[in-house]
Each structure stands twice: as structure tokens, then as C-alpha cells.
Amino acid sequence: MKGNFFNLYAHGFARVAVGVPRCRVADPAFNAAQTLDLARQAAAQGAALVAFPELGISAYTCDDLFHQGALLEACERALGDIVAGSAALPAALIVGLPLRVNHSLFNCAVVVARGRILGVVPKTYLPNYGEFYEARQFTSGDCTVATQVELAGQRAPFGPAQLFEVADVPGLRFHVEICEDVWVPIPPSSFAALAGASVLVNLSASNIVVGKSGYRHQLVSQQSARCLAAYLYTSAGRGESSTDLAWDGQSIIYENGELLAESGRFLDDSHLILADVDLERLSHERMRQTTFGQSVLRHKAEAERFQTVAFEIGLAADQPLALRRRVERFPYVPADRRRRDERCDEVYNIQVQALVQRLSAIGMDKVVIGVSGGLDSTHALLVCAKAMDRLNLPRANIIGVTMPGFATSERTLQQARALMRVVGCTAMEIDIRPSCAQMLQDIGHPYASGQEVYDITFENVQAGERTSHLFRLANFHNAIVIGTGDLSELALGWCTYGVGDHMSHYNVNASVPKTLITHLVRWVAETGKVGDGSQVLLDILGTEISPELVPGKTDGAPAQRTEQFIGPYELQDFNLYYILRYGFAPSKVAFLALAAWHDRERGDWPEEAHVPRNQYELAAIKRNLGIFVHRFFKTSQFKRSCVPNAPKVGSGGSLSPRGDWRAPSDSEEVVWKADLANIPDAPPHG
């Protein structure tokens, strides 16, 4: 992290903007004034880059007026006004206008910053079909030998193969293409991305017809995803000629296939959208997807054509600048109810399909599963039930075993019994206290002589006895043991190694985080997939998470509250997602968590009263992130290095050593702890 912790630019973000000015056809002075006004608004809000429409200085619909010398000269004067006005702005501007170069006319994008013209990019692909007749007025950028141009009293690079690098915003290297350039099979921006551009900009006019808005979204979304880049798209709005066409002024910003911002359409006035692009995320994705590098090699000749123009915009990053990007509190769980239901359905079916395949492959038709009355085993049992249905086997082939120990509460015991009854599995109950007492006596533990010593040995004896019983039952019934531990527990090392809940023959939950399991169980309850068992599931959801290994108080409250020890799962799942999926440093994760969780009213799930509306101050975010860093990087990897087989269910990653995560079991945490120290204890002014 460099700079002010509370400034988005210190964490690999860049604020970018797309402006659609109100225009007048063939009135460059007016259009330039509207453009500058939007540029000042964007810069005042911290934007480092502002893009405007194709031929926005002249208006796109000038037709044969483009061959009038008076108009072309007026466009150059208007550009001079924009250049002069940019001198005081800490931002790069990209504007469109017609330019004469070596007796040819080009449809150009001009990059301007701090009073300088940094480069001129001519349009490559000129549409000459349907309502478009650009080849009547313009020449393709491929048809020029000029590499420099004299413009507004300055000399600047000219040509389509240019990249522009903002030196004082690390990672912000952008490329400009114009309208039709992105509609062709291989857009110029594809090669620009391979040459290092992280932000792709399209200056478009783009008239509107029925269905075109949706196609623009598809086009820009896919181009940003394929190029692992941000993509800014702008189109012309109110003021363009309606002689034969209409204009909606749609502007959109995507990042790696994800929509960040979109303007209104058919607006009467000038308008502006802004978005905070995660440049570090894009860099990480390119580094992670090694095929991107292979593509660079395959298209090396095209990538080497690009020349980079480096410059500074004088951005001040020493003051707080809050992130405007929406950061979901639950990255594994979509906030939108429809998408969340779709996610739950897909995850559930992935787990079921994986278990069906495993049972079919090994020729077994029975499973053994420990049922505690808690969340994880509940969901795993539901997966087993559906798998049996898919295999046309009776649910009695599921041997569900609840094994009360020294601290099992009456609530969870009754929930386990009720759940097994509702599911229709073969239900067993084994009191493990006698066998645990025997082992404690055999090893000379103080508890065996009447002392209330509830140490890790006391806990693990119970966890080990349960697992030992499950494996021997599996032997006895020619079955396999189904694991129930989830991704969050694996990340935090919250499992008993070896002969404990760490081990099974096959684990259906291993890449499903706790926050998602909560919603999976609720989804099953709400959709009635267990018939009259929905209330049992809701009761389980309302039970405090506890391993129930240490006897509680006389009032029945659990002596162990898992989240008091390892931190709230909703925060730790947030930390896991950004550290595992994107490799972000703790300071950036804390910055994102602050944006998501701190002191703001959020309407993530306004239709559901059961969703917690917790808020976390920075001190709590930092403290719990410290717990995560220590447990994830320092103490828990040896457990993950030998986990049972389990299906990966989401792009958020898994922790299997055969899949997403390969790490040494004896690594140090020092670099993450050092970065953690960069996080303040509180925001400015408390």
C-alpha cells in the first residue's frame, strides 16, 4: 500500500469516467464547452480518466459537412480550448473530432492531459453499410504513413497502435479505439490488451435501434472479459441530428465482464458516469490465467507494434477518497434474491452430482454421515438424500448417526433426531461418553480423576471418537463416510486433524463457505424440498454455532461460541474470498471490508428480515483479519495439505492441494503481518 489508507488510489483502484455532453451539430465551440464542463465535474470527483463520444467536438451527424474547411478549422480551435482547459485538471481526457493529416481526413480520438496533446488515434474500421457511410468522408487509420501530427500548436504521435500510461496511477495503461473497431471479429483493443493495456476505451457515436442497447452490453462485457480489462464505452446523445437516426447517449463501464456503471438513456442534458476500476485485480487475473501470457507470445508481432506514451496527471492521493464501487458484504452469496436462488440451486446440484458420480464409480450404495444438529452436517445430509433420490435408492441407505458427548445440548440433539426423521434416513444414536471416558482414563487425563479440565485433548478425544465410530460403521455396512466440514473451517483450520472431523471418504462441503451453506439450508427450507421438515431447518439456522465439546453453564448456554474464538464467519468469508481468489494484501482487504461493512445503511436483502445488518468498525475489521492471517498462513496449511476428495463448486476457489491451492505447510506469516500493520485503528476524526 502506498499513500493514504483511506484513498482508493492507495489500493490499486483508479476512478474513471464516461461523459456524454449535450451537443450541437457543427458547433465545435459549444461542444467543447460542454465537454470541458463534464471534464471538470469528473476531475472534481477524483477521476483520473474521462472519455467522450466519437466526433463529439463536431457531432457525428455532420455528413458531408466534414469536408468543409471552416468546420475542420473550428474543430481544431475547439480542441485548443479543451487543451488549455485541461491544464488545471488532474485527469486525462479523450475527445473525438475530425482531423486532416497528409491530405486525408481521419475520424480521431485525441488524448489530452495537463495542457498537452499526448497522442492522436485514428479509427481503423470504417462502417459503410446500413445507415453508415463513413468511408465517404474518412480514411482508415491503417492507410496512413504519418507517425506525427501538428495540432493546436503542438506535435503529437499519430496512429492506431498507441498505449497511454498514467505514471502516477500505477497500473493505469489505456488504449483507445473508436466505435466500429470493437464490432469486428478481432478488435484492435484485443492486441492492445496483450501489449499491456489494462483499460480499454471506446469513443462511439452509435445510433439507437430496437435491441441495440442489450447487444452493446454483450459486446462490451465479453470484450472486457476476454481481455481481462476494464472497458469504457460512450455513445452520442441529445443534439445529434435526427434526420434519419435517433440517439440514446448510453454509456457503460465494465470490468472483466462485470458491469460497474451505466448511464440513463434518452436524457435531455449532459451526463456523466464514474466507476472505480480495480487495476490490481485485473493484473492478478492476467498473471493467474497463464493462457493470457501464451496469447501474448502467439500474437507477439501485433503486440510489439504498440508504442507507449507515459505521462503524469498530478493526482493528489494524500487525502481520503472513499471507494464508490459497491462491495458486496457476502461475496459468495449474491444479494439479488433471484440470482441467489439460482446460485443455491446450482451449488446444490454440483454437490449432488459429484456424490452420485463417486458412489457410482466405486460401486457403493450406502453412506454414513455424522449428524450433529448443526448447519454443516444438515446440509451434507440434504445432499446425501438428493443423491439417493437421483440413484433411485432408498434414503434408508443413508446411515445418519448422532453421537452426543459431554457438551451436547438438548436442542441440537433434538434437532438431529428430527432432521433424520424428516429426511427418512436410517437413524442411529451412539452415546460416545463411555468410550471417551475410557480413553481419557487410558491416557491419564485429569478429567478421568474428576477434575474439570477441558483442554484441547478433552475436545479432540470426543471429535476422534465420533470419526472412529463413523469409519467403523462404514466398514460394517459397506459404506463410505461423508465429510461435512466447510471451506471456512478449512481456511481457519477449525477442524480436528486426522482422526477427527478433518477426515472422511468424501466431503461434499469442502469448497462451500459457511455463509453460503447458511443460505443453502434456508433455500431448501423455503422451497419446501424437505416437505414438512422446513421448520426443523429454520430451527437449525437459529442455533448458535458451537462445537459443543466443552460443558456449558447451568442455563444451557454453550461454553464455546465458535465466532467468539475465530471471528464472525461473515467477515472471515469476506477475507477468505479476496485473499484466496485475488491474492490481495490484508490492507486492501481491510479497505474493501470498510467500504462494505462500516457505518452505512445497506439494502443488500431488504425483503428478508432474517438477514443480519451488522456493521463493523475498522478496529474490528483489523482484529479479525489478523486472526485470519495468522490461522490461514501460519498454522493451518498442514491440515489442508491432505484433505479428502471433494468437488469444487465456485470460482471463489477451493483449498484442495490438488486444485486451487498449493502451499507449504511450514510457511511464515511475516509479510502479511507487516502489511496488516499499515491498517489504521480508526478512520480520520474517529
Side-chain angles (χ1 to χ4, degrees):
M1 183 190 74
K2 295 182 179 179
N4 189 313
F5 174 84
F6 301 99
N7 189 299
L8 64 94
Y9 285 96
H11 299 281
F13 290 96
R15 183 161 293 166
V16 298
V18 175
V20 180
R22 176 78 178 263
C23 76
R24 292 178 183 171
V25 179
D27 190 349
F30 174 85
N31 298 337
Q34 295 290 307
T35 297
L36 267 176
D37 183 57
L38 285 181
R40 293 187 183 104
Q41 293 179 40
Q45 296 180 68
L49 177 63
V50 195
F52 296 96
E54 176 185 17
L55 296 171
I57 302 305
S58 59
Y60 180 82
T61 47
C62 289
D63 289 330
D64 285 352
L65 298 182
F66 283 125
H67 284 175
Q68 292 291 311
L71 177 61
L72 297 176
E73 290 166 6
C75 286
E76 292 197 29
R77 289 195 299 272
L79 176 64
D81 294 340
I82 292 173
V83 172
S86 74
L89 302 180
L93 316 181
I94 311 171
V95 298
L97 72 163
L99 287 177
R100 293 171 292 191
V101 179
N102 288 353
H103 313 296
S104 294
L105 187 65
F106 295 91
N107 178 344
C108 294
V110 180
V111 180
V112 175
R114 305 299 298 211
R116 292 175 53 208
I117 297 175
L118 299 166
V120 180
V121 180
K123 186 173 183 176
T124 298
Y125 293 96
L126 303 178
N128 221 51
Y129 57 87
E131 62 266 46
F132 304 111
Y133 295 93
E134 286 189 32
R136 178 182 175 94
Q137 289 95 23
F138 297 105
T139 298
S140 167
D142 282 340
C143 298
T144 179
V145 294
T147 59
Q148 298 281 318
V149 62
E150 292 284 347
L151 188 60
Q154 299 186 31
R155 189 168 184 82
F158 179 80
Q162 296 187 68
L163 303 181
F164 301 90
E165 183 173 1
V166 185
D168 47 348
V169 182
L172 181 52
R173 180 183 292 183
F174 63 90
H175 169 264
V176 186
E177 61 190 4
I178 303 175
C179 199
E180 187 77 8
D181 290 346
V182 76
W183 297 71
V184 301
I186 306 178
S189 56
S190 297
F191 298 121
L194 297 179
S198 55
V199 176
L200 312 174
V201 183
N202 188 295
L203 272 57
S204 181
S206 192
N207 67 299
I208 187 61
V209 294
V210 172
K212 194 172 186 179
S213 172
Y215 189 75
R216 289 176 188 146
H217 274 286
Q218 295 176 23
L219 193 68
V220 174
S221 172
Q222 286 301 308
Q223 184 65 358
S224 72
R226 280 193 300 271
C227 293
L228 300 176
Y231 201 103
L232 284 58
Y233 182 93
T234 181
S235 54
R238 179 69 183 276
E240 288 284 359
S241 173
S242 61
T243 300
D244 290 300
L245 303 172
W247 312 85
D248 66 341
Q250 182 180 30
S251 53
I252 49 182
I253 301 174
Y254 274 84
E255 176 188 300
N256 194 16
E258 177 185 352
L259 179 65
L260 298 186
E262 179 181 13
S263 73
R265 298 169 59 208
F266 306 106
L267 302 178
D268 287 333
D269 298 322
S270 300
H271 51 277
L272 183 74
I273 60 169
L274 300 100
D276 296 340
V277 171
D278 194 340
L279 299 173
E280 182 184 356
R281 176 193 176 195
L282 296 172
S283 176
H284 178 270
E285 288 296 88
R286 291 180 177 185
M287 177 178 65
R288 175 175 170 268
Q289 294 189 23
T290 54
T291 49
F292 185 90
Q294 292 172 20
S295 296
V296 174
L297 181 61
R298 176 174 288 272
H299 300 286
K300 184 178 180 182
E302 286 288 344
E304 287 179 337
R305 292 177 55 238
F306 287 86
Q307 301 297 315
T308 300
V309 178
F311 61 99
E312 294 187 356
I313 57 174
L315 187 76
D318 56 344
Q319 297 298 316
L321 184 62
L323 193 67
R324 293 178 57 157
R325 178 188 181 107
R326 182 178 180 83
V327 180
E328 298 294 348
R329 290 177 173 179
F330 300 91
Y332 291 103
V333 186
D336 176 74
R337 179 161 190 151
R338 181 186 60 80
R339 289 184 56 235
R340 187 165 69 255
D341 287 348
E342 290 175 353
R343 175 73 57 85
C344 288
D345 183 70
E346 187 169 26
V347 168
Y348 186 53
N349 278 288
I350 289 172
Q351 293 176 277
V352 170
Q353 176 66 24
L355 180 56
V356 166
Q357 170 61 25
R358 177 51 56 98
L359 291 172
S360 300
I362 62 178
M364 285 191 172
D365 58 6
K366 292 182 181 178
V367 298
V368 173
I369 181 171
V371 182
S372 69
L375 270 176
D376 291 344
S377 65
T378 294
H379 180 60
L381 179 58
L382 295 173
V383 170
C384 291
K386 187 64 174 178
M388 290 300 167
D389 295 346
R390 287 274 305 277
L391 289 165
N392 295 316
L393 294 171
R395 290 187 177 183
N397 283 19
I398 305 169
I399 302 168
V401 191
T402 188
M403 293 172 279
F406 296 118
T408 300
S409 68
E410 186 64 21
R411 172 171 181 161
T412 57
L413 181 58
Q414 291 302 328
Q415 287 172 176
R417 290 167 176 167
L419 179 65
M420 290 189 289
R421 183 170 58 252
V422 165
V423 168
C425 67
T426 298
M428 297 183 63
E429 189 167 319
I430 299 175
D431 186 344
I432 63 168
R433 287 173 294 182
S435 57
C436 288
Q438 182 64 52
M439 178 171 285
L440 290 168
Q441 180 179 340
D442 290 346
I443 65 176
H445 193 276
Y447 179 83
S449 60
Q451 300 180 50
E452 295 185 356
V453 177
Y454 306 130
D455 56 8
I456 191 67
T457 304
F458 178 83
E459 295 183 44
N460 284 351
V461 162
Q462 296 172 79
E465 280 298 306
R466 288 185 172 123
T467 302
S468 180
H469 277 78
L470 292 176
F471 272 92
R472 301 298 73 81
L473 280 167
N475 293 155
F476 187 60
H477 292 281
N478 194 31
I480 63 170
V481 176
I482 302 301
T484 63
D486 62 46
L487 181 67
S488 309
E489 294 176 343
L490 277 176
L492 294 161
W494 193 247
C495 56
T496 301
Y497 182 80
V499 185
D501 55 323
H502 169 260
M503 193 48 59
S504 63
H505 289 117
Y506 195 72
N507 186 347
V508 294
N509 284 346
S511 71
V512 188
K514 187 77 76 179
T515 48
L516 182 53
I517 282 184
T518 299
H519 285 277
L520 282 162
V521 173
R522 188 175 299 280
W523 171 75
V524 172
E526 291 177 346
T527 53
K529 294 183 181 299
V530 287
D532 60 356
S534 293
Q535 187 55 53
V536 176
L537 300 184
L538 295 176
D539 291 342
I540 291 169
L541 284 165
T543 304
E544 187 169 7
I545 299 173
S546 169
E548 292 192 328
L549 294 172
V550 172
K553 302 174 183 178
T554 55
D555 61 2
Q560 294 171 296
R561 291 178 170 86
T562 299
E563 291 178 297
Q564 287 186 352
F565 188 80
I566 60 174
Y569 275 115
E570 57 192 14
L571 267 188
Q572 301 298 31
D573 279 2
F574 185 96
N575 297 333
L576 172 63
Y577 180 80
Y578 286 104
I579 288 175
L580 175 62
R581 178 65 179 83
Y582 296 115
F584 289 164
S587 55
K588 180 165 183 173
V589 176
F591 180 74
L592 291 169
L594 189 66
W597 289 97
H598 173 64
D599 194 26
R600 285 200 302 169
E601 286 298 324
R602 292 287 298 269
D604 287 22
W605 293 302
E607 78 280 12
E608 296 185 28
H610 66 264
V611 173
R613 297 189 178 279
N614 298 334
Q615 294 177 349
Y616 295 101
E617 302 294 332
L618 185 56
I621 290 170
K622 181 179 180 179
R623 181 177 64 256
N624 287 292
L625 186 53
I627 293 171
F628 182 89
V629 164
H630 175 68
R631 295 185 69 92
F632 185 79
F633 289 107
K634 179 65 177 176
T635 68
S636 303
Q637 180 56 40
F638 76 98
K639 297 181 181 180
R640 297 188 291 266
S641 293
C642 54
V643 294
N645 291 179
K648 177 180 176 179
V649 303
S651 61
S654 78
L655 288 170
S656 168
R658 299 168 298 276
D660 282 4
W661 185 252
R662 296 167 176 81
S665 295
D666 48 7
S667 66
E668 300 297 335
E669 62 181 319
V670 287
V671 293
W672 292 274
K673 284 289 189 181
D675 185 78
L676 197 70
N678 294 325
I679 305 171
D681 293 321
H685 312 298

